[in-house]
Amino acid sequence: MIELENVSISRGNFTLGPLNRTFKDGEAVILMGGNGSGKTSFLDLISGVLSPEGGSVKCSSKLSYAPQESDYSFFMPTVLDEFSYSLRGEKKEILVEHTKEFLSLVSLDKSFLYRSPFSLSGGEKRLLSIALAMVVKPSFILLDESIAGLDYRGYKAFRNLLETLKNEGVGFILVSHDESVLDLADSLIILKEGKIIFDGEPLMAMERGFVRKTFAYEKSMELFAFPILSFTQLLSRCTNG
């Protein structure tokens, strides 16, 4: 569980908050708002990247964070090295297999193992950042603009991942401008100029005109099938390896 109690922070003339919100374990939340509305700062406060100037953040969940700037997630020469840092202590052959499993979770294959993470495309970097965030087996994951820059295949893999997280009871807060993922959300939060102007079910937001009444893009996805490794299977393999 994550609890925000009168949380606020200021940057120049901009103030985010006060924020009062409890995120229950397993809750799927989409966070929307215009540029400069405070979405990234919202996640930074929850994750501890930023410290609130007022109020408090209490968290009993195991958090993981895939930031908007994916390069901030990387500091090793190869993709395999990135995973070896988080999975240190594993034997080489087991490490390689586990790395391939985490990559498959976001539709990246073994060809990425020995590539530099900094050489990947923007969409590939975002997917890799998410895979790395999953290594710690979070109970709640923060995803900042994770859809941006994804091609069709990457988008489909990301949707499948969100569905898997929901099915396995892993909570998430996803910052996104993409309305096609609203059907996956339990709650939608909309920020404007640092204030929460809506917090409720996505359908209610549509009825009130906050977002468009369409899932046409999501419906088109039903025409395609894209297999993805079960999160339970993945964690089981990592635990039993």
Side-chain angles (χ1 to χ4, degrees):
M1 182 178 292
I2 304 168
E3 297 179 87
L4 307 181
E5 298 180 356
N6 294 316
V7 172
S8 63
I9 192 169
S10 297
R11 290 291 183 270
N13 295 325
F14 175 79
T15 298
L16 175 62
L19 304 172
N20 289 281
R21 181 57 153 88
T22 297
F23 298 91
K24 299 178 181 179
D25 291 342
E27 185 176 6
V29 181
I30 306 294
L31 179 61
M32 289 185 166
N35 293 333
S37 60
K39 303 184 297 298
T40 294
S41 295
F42 194 108
L43 295 191
D44 286 345
L45 285 167
I46 293 176
S47 67
V49 172
L50 292 177
S51 298
E53 296 171 356
S56 64
V57 179
K58 300 176 182 178
C59 180
S60 58
S61 301
K62 187 173 185 179
L63 287 179
S64 190
Y65 191 5
Q68 182 176 3
E69 297 297 333
S70 303
D71 283 357
Y72 293 161
S73 301
F74 314 138
F75 59 96
M76 300 293 279
T78 70
V79 169
L80 180 60
D81 289 331
E82 294 285 357
F83 283 93
S84 69
Y85 180 81
S86 298
L87 299 172
R88 51 191 177 277
E90 292 191 345
K91 295 181 179 180
K92 180 64 179 294
E93 59 273 17
I94 296 176
L95 169 64
V96 171
E97 288 307 308
H98 285 175
T99 297
K100 288 191 290 187
E101 289 165 1
F102 278 105
L103 289 176
S104 72
L105 189 65
V106 292
S107 80
L108 300 178
D109 59 37
K110 62 182 181 180
S111 67
F112 288 84
L113 284 174
Y114 299 102
R115 294 179 60 182
S116 166
F118 300 101
S119 72
L120 306 184
S121 69
E124 291 167 346
K125 287 180 179 179
R126 290 185 187 279
L127 293 173
L128 175 58
S129 176
I130 295 166
L132 288 168
M134 301 305 297
V135 172
V136 300
K137 306 174 187 177
S139 57
F140 219 104
I141 184 167
L142 309 177
L143 302 160
D144 194 359
E145 294 285 5
S146 297
I147 296 177
L150 297 184
D151 60 13
Y152 180 85
R153 181 181 175 85
Y155 174 89
K156 182 58 177 175
F158 183 69
R159 271 196 62 92
N160 285 348
L161 174 61
L162 294 183
E163 291 170 356
T164 298
L165 294 178
K166 280 178 64 70
N167 291 337
E168 299 299 334
V170 179
F172 64 82
I173 304 174
L174 167 65
V175 170
S176 179
H177 296 285
D178 195 326
E179 295 157 358
S180 68
V181 292
L182 286 177
D183 60 311
L184 299 176
D186 300 316
S187 303
L188 169 64
I189 296 175
I190 300 177
L191 290 178
K192 183 177 181 180
E193 298 176 353
K195 308 295 182 184
I196 295 177
I197 62 170
F198 180 85
D199 185 356
E201 295 181 359
L203 182 58
M204 185 182 298
M206 293 178 185
E207 292 172 346
R208 295 183 180 181
F210 284 100
V211 293
R212 294 179 297 174
K213 298 180 181 180
T214 176
F215 290 130
Y217 188 51
E218 188 274 332
K219 290 297 181 183
S220 72
M221 295 295 182
E222 296 178 0
L223 299 175
F224 299 87
F226 189 87
I228 193 165
L229 189 66
S230 162
F231 190 52
T232 299
Q233 291 174 332
L234 176 63
L235 296 188
S236 176
R237 290 185 188 183
C238 292
T239 301
N240 296 332

PDB file of all heavy atoms in Angstrom, residues 8-16 41 44-45 49-53:
ATOM      1  N   SER A   8       3.319  17.684  -0.890  1.00  0.00           N
ATOM      2  CA  SER A   8       3.484  18.804  -1.815  1.00  0.00           C
ATOM      3  C   SER A   8       4.963  19.069  -2.059  1.00  0.00           C
ATOM      4  O   SER A   8       5.825  18.712  -1.239  1.00  0.00           O
ATOM      5  CB  SER A   8       2.817  20.076  -1.277  1.00  0.00           C
ATOM      6  OG  SER A   8       3.424  20.492  -0.067  1.00  0.00           O
ATOM      7  N   ILE A   9       5.241  19.660  -3.219  1.00  0.00           N
ATOM      8  CA  ILE A   9       6.598  20.077  -3.567  1.00  0.00           C
ATOM      9  C   ILE A   9       6.500  21.225  -4.557  1.00  0.00           C
ATOM     10  O   ILE A   9       5.574  21.279  -5.372  1.00  0.00           O
ATOM     11  CB  ILE A   9       7.406  18.902  -4.169  1.00  0.00           C
ATOM     12  CG1 ILE A   9       8.887  19.247  -4.248  1.00  0.00           C
ATOM     13  CG2 ILE A   9       6.855  18.471  -5.508  1.00  0.00           C
ATOM     14  CD1 ILE A   9       9.778  18.055  -4.583  1.00  0.00           C
ATOM     15  N   SER A  10       7.428  22.158  -4.463  1.00  0.00           N
ATOM     16  CA  SER A  10       7.407  23.336  -5.336  1.00  0.00           C
ATOM     17  C   SER A  10       8.684  23.432  -6.136  1.00  0.00           C
ATOM     18  O   SER A  10       9.772  23.092  -5.653  1.00  0.00           O
ATOM     19  CB  SER A  10       7.220  24.612  -4.504  1.00  0.00           C
ATOM     20  OG  SER A  10       5.978  24.614  -3.838  1.00  0.00           O
ATOM     21  N   ARG A  11       8.547  23.898  -7.366  1.00  0.00           N
ATOM     22  CA  ARG A  11       9.671  24.180  -8.251  1.00  0.00           C
ATOM     23  C   ARG A  11       9.392  25.509  -8.942  1.00  0.00           C
ATOM     24  O   ARG A  11       8.571  25.585  -9.844  1.00  0.00           O
ATOM     25  CB  ARG A  11       9.844  23.058  -9.291  1.00  0.00           C
ATOM     26  CG  ARG A  11      10.339  21.739  -8.713  1.00  0.00           C
ATOM     27  CD  ARG A  11      11.790  21.847  -8.241  1.00  0.00           C
ATOM     28  NE  ARG A  11      12.312  20.583  -7.751  1.00  0.00           N
ATOM     29  CZ  ARG A  11      12.235  20.174  -6.496  1.00  0.00           C
ATOM     30  NH1 ARG A  11      11.619  20.947  -5.597  1.00  0.00           N
ATOM     31  NH2 ARG A  11      12.752  19.027  -6.121  1.00  0.00           N
ATOM     32  N   GLY A  12      10.050  26.564  -8.478  1.00  0.00           N
ATOM     33  CA  GLY A  12       9.795  27.887  -9.036  1.00  0.00           C
ATOM     34  C   GLY A  12       8.361  28.312  -8.751  1.00  0.00           C
ATOM     35  O   GLY A  12       7.915  28.308  -7.596  1.00  0.00           O
ATOM     36  N   ASN A  13       7.632  28.628  -9.809  1.00  0.00           N
ATOM     37  CA  ASN A  13       6.239  29.043  -9.649  1.00  0.00           C
ATOM     38  C   ASN A  13       5.260  27.874  -9.653  1.00  0.00           C
ATOM     39  O   ASN A  13       4.046  28.084  -9.543  1.00  0.00           O
ATOM     40  CB  ASN A  13       5.848  30.017 -10.773  1.00  0.00           C
ATOM     41  CG  ASN A  13       6.628  31.316 -10.705  1.00  0.00           C
ATOM     42  OD1 ASN A  13       6.941  31.802  -9.613  1.00  0.00           O
ATOM     43  ND2 ASN A  13       6.963  31.876 -11.863  1.00  0.00           N
ATOM     44  N   PHE A  14       5.794  26.655  -9.815  1.00  0.00           N
ATOM     45  CA  PHE A  14       4.927  25.487  -9.893  1.00  0.00           C
ATOM     46  C   PHE A  14       4.886  24.746  -8.568  1.00  0.00           C
ATOM     47  O   PHE A  14       5.922  24.491  -7.944  1.00  0.00           O
ATOM     48  CB  PHE A  14       5.425  24.528 -10.982  1.00  0.00           C
ATOM     49  CG  PHE A  14       4.655  23.243 -11.054  1.00  0.00           C
ATOM     50  CD1 PHE A  14       3.424  23.197 -11.683  1.00  0.00           C
ATOM     51  CD2 PHE A  14       5.157  22.076 -10.475  1.00  0.00           C
ATOM     52  CE1 PHE A  14       2.702  22.013 -11.752  1.00  0.00           C
ATOM     53  CE2 PHE A  14       4.445  20.885 -10.540  1.00  0.00           C
ATOM     54  CZ  PHE A  14       3.211  20.860 -11.181  1.00  0.00           C
ATOM     55  N   THR A  15       3.696  24.367  -8.143  1.00  0.00           N
ATOM     56  CA  THR A  15       3.515  23.568  -6.930  1.00  0.00           C
ATOM     57  C   THR A  15       2.672  22.344  -7.249  1.00  0.00           C
ATOM     58  O   THR A  15       1.595  22.457  -7.845  1.00  0.00           O
ATOM     59  CB  THR A  15       2.823  24.378  -5.819  1.00  0.00           C
ATOM     60  OG1 THR A  15       3.640  25.493  -5.460  1.00  0.00           O
ATOM     61  CG2 THR A  15       2.596  23.509  -4.583  1.00  0.00           C
ATOM     62  N   LEU A  16       3.166  21.190  -6.868  1.00  0.00           N
ATOM     63  CA  LEU A  16       2.418  19.940  -6.993  1.00  0.00           C
ATOM     64  C   LEU A  16       1.816  19.619  -5.641  1.00  0.00           C
ATOM     65  O   LEU A  16       2.537  19.499  -4.651  1.00  0.00           O
ATOM     66  CB  LEU A  16       3.341  18.806  -7.439  1.00  0.00           C
ATOM     67  CG  LEU A  16       2.714  17.405  -7.490  1.00  0.00           C
ATOM     68  CD1 LEU A  16       1.572  17.358  -8.498  1.00  0.00           C
ATOM     69  CD2 LEU A  16       3.777  16.355  -7.812  1.00  0.00           C
ATOM     70  N   SER A  41       6.816  14.206 -11.514  1.00  0.00           N
ATOM     71  CA  SER A  41       7.099  14.553 -10.115  1.00  0.00           C
ATOM     72  C   SER A  41       6.248  13.722  -9.161  1.00  0.00           C
ATOM     73  O   SER A  41       6.694  13.350  -8.069  1.00  0.00           O
ATOM     74  CB  SER A  41       6.842  16.050  -9.874  1.00  0.00           C
ATOM     75  OG  SER A  41       7.737  16.834 -10.617  1.00  0.00           O
ATOM     76  N   ASP A  44       8.011  10.540  -8.927  1.00  0.00           N
ATOM     77  CA  ASP A  44       9.280  10.750  -8.229  1.00  0.00           C
ATOM     78  C   ASP A  44       9.076  10.872  -6.725  1.00  0.00           C
ATOM     79  O   ASP A  44       9.911  10.415  -5.926  1.00  0.00           O
ATOM     80  CB  ASP A  44       9.978  12.010  -8.753  1.00  0.00           C
ATOM     81  CG  ASP A  44      10.583  11.817 -10.135  1.00  0.00           C
ATOM     82  OD1 ASP A  44      10.720  10.657 -10.572  1.00  0.00           O
ATOM     83  OD2 ASP A  44      10.935  12.828 -10.773  1.00  0.00           O
ATOM     84  N   LEU A  45       7.963  11.466  -6.307  1.00  0.00           N
ATOM     85  CA  LEU A  45       7.664  11.571  -4.878  1.00  0.00           C
ATOM     86  C   LEU A  45       7.353  10.203  -4.280  1.00  0.00           C
ATOM     87  O   LEU A  45       7.800   9.872  -3.182  1.00  0.00           O
ATOM     88  CB  LEU A  45       6.480  12.517  -4.661  1.00  0.00           C
ATOM     89  CG  LEU A  45       6.768  14.012  -4.816  1.00  0.00           C
ATOM     90  CD1 LEU A  45       5.460  14.796  -4.883  1.00  0.00           C
ATOM     91  CD2 LEU A  45       7.628  14.515  -3.666  1.00  0.00           C
ATOM     92  N   VAL A  49      12.607   9.447  -5.291  1.00  0.00           N
ATOM     93  CA  VAL A  49      13.557  10.252  -6.062  1.00  0.00           C
ATOM     94  C   VAL A  49      13.509  11.701  -5.588  1.00  0.00           C
ATOM     95  O   VAL A  49      14.536  12.385  -5.505  1.00  0.00           O
ATOM     96  CB  VAL A  49      13.247  10.162  -7.572  1.00  0.00           C
ATOM     97  CG1 VAL A  49      14.103  11.142  -8.361  1.00  0.00           C
ATOM     98  CG2 VAL A  49      13.483   8.742  -8.069  1.00  0.00           C
ATOM     99  N   LEU A  50      12.308  12.175  -5.267  1.00  0.00           N
ATOM    100  CA  LEU A  50      12.121  13.503  -4.682  1.00  0.00           C
ATOM    101  C   LEU A  50      11.573  13.358  -3.267  1.00  0.00           C
ATOM    102  O   LEU A  50      10.780  12.452  -2.995  1.00  0.00           O
ATOM    103  CB  LEU A  50      11.133  14.337  -5.515  1.00  0.00           C
ATOM    104  CG  LEU A  50      11.555  14.771  -6.911  1.00  0.00           C
ATOM    105  CD1 LEU A  50      10.406  15.510  -7.590  1.00  0.00           C
ATOM    106  CD2 LEU A  50      12.793  15.662  -6.852  1.00  0.00           C
ATOM    107  N   SER A  51      11.991  14.250  -2.404  1.00  0.00           N
ATOM    108  CA  SER A  51      11.458  14.281  -1.043  1.00  0.00           C
ATOM    109  C   SER A  51      10.412  15.385  -0.946  1.00  0.00           C
ATOM    110  O   SER A  51      10.645  16.494  -1.424  1.00  0.00           O
ATOM    111  CB  SER A  51      12.570  14.545  -0.024  1.00  0.00           C
ATOM    112  OG  SER A  51      13.531  13.507  -0.051  1.00  0.00           O
ATOM    113  N   PRO A  52       9.265  15.099  -0.354  1.00  0.00           N
ATOM    114  CA  PRO A  52       8.225  16.124  -0.263  1.00  0.00           C
ATOM    115  C   PRO A  52       8.646  17.265   0.658  1.00  0.00           C
ATOM    116  O   PRO A  52       9.351  17.047   1.642  1.00  0.00           O
ATOM    117  CB  PRO A  52       7.027  15.366   0.300  1.00  0.00           C
ATOM    118  CG  PRO A  52       7.622  14.212   1.047  1.00  0.00           C
ATOM    119  CD  PRO A  52       8.852  13.830   0.271  1.00  0.00           C
ATOM    120  N   GLU A  53       8.216  18.469   0.312  1.00  0.00           N
ATOM    121  CA  GLU A  53       8.468  19.618   1.180  1.00  0.00           C
ATOM    122  C   GLU A  53       7.418  19.706   2.275  1.00  0.00           C
ATOM    123  O   GLU A  53       7.636  20.336   3.311  1.00  0.00           O
ATOM    124  CB  GLU A  53       8.473  20.895   0.339  1.00  0.00           C
ATOM    125  CG  GLU A  53       9.613  20.924  -0.673  1.00  0.00           C
ATOM    126  CD  GLU A  53       9.502  22.074  -1.651  1.00  0.00           C
ATOM    127  OE1 GLU A  53       8.486  22.811  -1.596  1.00  0.00           O
ATOM    128  OE2 GLU A  53      10.415  22.246  -2.478  1.00  0.00           O
TER     129      GLU A  53
END
